[in-house]
């Protein structure tokens, strides 16, 4: 008598490795019965390599409990487009699936939907190919911690906050990082010149098709280079992923030629002039009244004198300038006002602007890049100003990362750094519209 939950099974090969001709010895395949019809003597088996139609040579009277959802070992021979089963060995037959509901658990979605199942397999290849791209260029991967004593200071990003409790009773406030940026720059100070991070980041914000509180972030940094090197990296990374993955994953690949298009570069000043009709170079951090008039002239009468300058700017940008960016080609929007980039270096030829760009593709913002600020005094002033602004907005209080400032005082080499949303990039490659589709476990 076979055990109800045997510890091992006899497997000859995977479905995807099965010989295509019949003149082979009996094969033993293992997987889950996705479908099973006892009367028609048919079924559908799935393992990690794919699915396979089954035809049973005889009924299975000794297995009256066999049903769809069970995990089995089937023995038999391949046919033209199916597999002729001569024996079934039940491996797990006491399976109980949850009743159908509007929002089934993620594991059940993956189990029941072949395309969703394959998307997660694609994700694994996607992540490993990203790592290959950087390792081949002599980058090293930094395994940055998620739990840190001080999060980034960006005014409009909320971190997750928790506490560490010592046995002595001492409590220490900690944060899940919204970006490993400070950690990565400390590694630049330590002498690691080409580094990347591929892992999770956390932001306490609303769920949306493009937003998840926990998501995958790719960051990379190059010492002794500026943001133009990162522009080239973005194009080369997209081309590398396309070259390595398209053939294998053709069934999931987007069907247009967006990923083959040459990049376009436009300054933020040019973009705002073209789409909103004003000269961004004439707007400073104290020019809220000017921007308010521009908002009203464009029909945004909900804005009033209480709005700060950056909120007025983003109202215009998000409603008029950003929509459709990157819809028909990778688009880089570069050179932002100095009052909008706390961690970027000012342009030597025009200090009203900083060396910063954002990458757009398929009408989505994918990446944010800087030539990094490495002046410790200027960085301290900018972070303190943002800390003050956070208080005015009623945001979570975040302490200044004094260890980061100490590292800058020890000397950080000239460098460029970029943060790219990996889930969003996967969405572009597979033409998905919701971030949850490409995540193994959505929030």
């Amino acid at each position: 008598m076979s055990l109800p939950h045997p510890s091992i099974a006899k497997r000859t090969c995977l479905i995807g490795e099965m010989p295509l001709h019949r003149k082979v010895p009996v094969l033993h395949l293992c997987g889950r019965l996705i479908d099973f019809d006892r009367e028609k003597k048919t079924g559908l088996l799935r393992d990690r390599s794919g699915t396979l139609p089954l035809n049973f040579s005889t009924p299975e009277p000794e297995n009256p409990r066999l049903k769809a959802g069970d995990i089995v070992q089937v023995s038999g021979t391949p046919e033209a487009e199916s597999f002729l089963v001569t024996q079934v060995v039940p491996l797990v037959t006491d399976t109980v699936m949850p009743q159908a509901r509007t929002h089934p658990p993620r594991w059940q979605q993956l189990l029941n939907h072949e395309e969703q199942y394959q998307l997660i397999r694609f994700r694994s290849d996607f992540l490993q190919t990203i790592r290959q791209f950087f390792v081949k260029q002599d980058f090293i991967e930094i395994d940055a911690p998620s739990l840190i004593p001080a999060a980034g200071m960006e005014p409009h990003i909320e971190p997750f906050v928790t506490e560490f409790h010592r046995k002595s009773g001492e409590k220490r406030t900690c944060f899940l990082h919204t970006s490993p940026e400070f950690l990565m720059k400390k590694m630049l100070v330590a002498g690691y010149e080409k580094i990347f991070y591929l892992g999770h980041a956390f932001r306490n914000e609303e769920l949306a098709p493009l937003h998840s509180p926990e998501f995958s972030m790719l960051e990379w940094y190059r010492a002794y280079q500026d943001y133009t090197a990162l522009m080239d990296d973005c194009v080369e990374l997209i081309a590398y992923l396309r070259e390595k993955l398209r053939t294998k994953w053709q069934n999931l690949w987007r069907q247009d030629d967006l990923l083959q298009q040459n990049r376009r570069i436009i300054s933020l000043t040019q973009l705002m002039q073209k789409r909103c009709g004003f000269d961004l170079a004439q707007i400073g951090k104290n020019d809220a009244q000017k921007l308010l008039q521009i908002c009203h002239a464009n029909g945004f009468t909900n804005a009033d004198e209480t709005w700060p300058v950056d909120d007025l700017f983003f109202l215009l940008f998000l409603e008029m300038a950003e929509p459709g960016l990157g819809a028909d080609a990778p688009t880089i929007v570069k050179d932002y006002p100095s009052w909008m980039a706390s961690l970027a270096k000012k342009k030597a030829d025009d200090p009203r602007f900083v060396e910063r760009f954002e990458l757009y593709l398929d009408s989505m913002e994918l990446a944010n890049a800087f030539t990094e600020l490495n002046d410790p005094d200027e960085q301290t002033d900018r972070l303190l100003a943002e800390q003050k602004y956070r208080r005015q907005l009623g945001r979570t209080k975040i302490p200044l990362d004094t260890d980061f400032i100490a590292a800058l005082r020890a000397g950080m080499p000239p460098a460029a750094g970029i943060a790219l949303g990996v889930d969003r990039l996967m969405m572009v490659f597979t033409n998905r519209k919701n971030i949850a589709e490409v995540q193994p476990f959505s929030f």
Side-chain angles (χ1 to χ4, degrees), residues 135-389:
V135 170
K136 285 178 179 291
Q137 298 182 68
D138 201 31
F139 280 74
I140 66 167
E141 183 170 4
I142 301 299
D143 187 16
S146 298
L147 200 62
I148 56 176
M153 204 71 76
E154 295 91 340
H156 298 287
I157 295 179
E158 273 294 280
F160 285 95
V161 188
T162 187
E163 282 188 337
F164 170 63
H165 294 192
R166 301 182 68 93
K167 289 184 178 180
S168 63
E170 176 192 354
K171 296 180 181 180
R172 184 189 306 170
T173 299
C174 298
F175 303 85
L176 291 177
H177 74 67
T178 56
S179 158
E181 185 168 1
F182 291 175
L183 302 165
M184 299 295 278
K185 290 178 179 178
K186 293 173 187 178
M187 293 293 99
L188 289 172
V189 173
Y192 301 99
E193 297 180 2
K194 297 171 71 175
I195 55 178
F196 76 99
Y197 168 84
L198 182 56
H200 289 195
F202 308 86
R203 296 181 181 180
N204 198 351
E205 58 187 14
E206 288 293 328
L207 288 168
L210 299 183
H211 295 278
S212 175
E214 183 175 3
F215 60 98
S216 293
M217 175 84 84
L218 168 66
E219 291 200 9
W220 71 95
Y221 294 78
R222 289 180 175 272
Y224 307 107
Q225 293 187 283
D226 66 9
Y227 70 153
T228 59
L230 303 178
M231 295 181 191
D232 294 337
D233 283 342
C234 289
V235 173
E236 292 166 10
L237 175 60
I238 291 170
Y240 187 81
L241 290 165
R242 188 179 70 241
E243 174 194 349
K244 297 297 182 181
L245 297 174
R246 182 173 185 175
T247 299
K248 178 178 178 180
W249 295 103
Q250 187 66 44
N251 61 320
L252 296 177
W253 212 258
R254 66 180 304 121
Q255 297 303 304
D256 57 29
D257 61 355
L258 176 63
L259 297 172
Q260 284 93 295
Q261 299 301 309
N262 294 327
R263 76 179 180 194
R264 298 172 184 170
I265 301 178
I266 185 172
S267 73
L268 183 60
T269 299
Q270 292 170 326
L271 180 67
M272 299 307 288
Q273 183 70 62
K274 179 180 179 180
R275 296 196 175 186
C276 302
F278 73 95
D279 184 1
L280 186 59
Q282 303 303 314
I283 302 295
K285 65 179 180 180
N286 296 318
D287 290 328
Q289 189 60 39
K290 287 184 183 179
L291 270 187
L292 180 61
Q293 292 173 3
I294 295 169
C295 287
H296 288 173
N298 282 284
F300 300 112
T301 55
N302 57 313
D304 59 39
E305 289 79 3
T306 64
W307 288 36
V309 66
D310 53 347
D311 284 358
L312 294 167
F313 169 82
F314 279 113
L315 175 62
L316 292 165
F317 180 78
L318 295 175
E319 294 294 330
M320 299 181 66
E322 186 181 55
L325 284 176
D328 51 4
T331 300
I332 288 172
V333 180
K334 68 169 188 169
D335 299 345
Y336 284 61
S338 59
W339 44 270
M340 289 179 57
S342 70
L343 300 170
K345 182 168 287 189
K346 292 179 180 178
K347 294 178 67 67
D349 59 349
D350 190 350
R352 294 174 301 174
F353 295 90
V354 294
E355 294 186 350
R356 170 189 176 187
F357 75 82
E358 292 189 350
L359 171 67
Y360 286 84
L361 189 56
D362 200 16
S363 302
M364 283 190 286
E365 177 203 338
L366 293 182
N368 189 18
F370 302 145
T371 299
E372 301 293 352
L373 178 63
N374 59 352
D375 180 326
D377 293 327
E378 185 177 354
Q379 183 65 90
T380 301
D381 290 343
R382 291 198 201 177
L383 288 175
L384 289 174
E386 286 197 327
Q387 189 180 55
K388 179 180 179 180
Y389 187 35

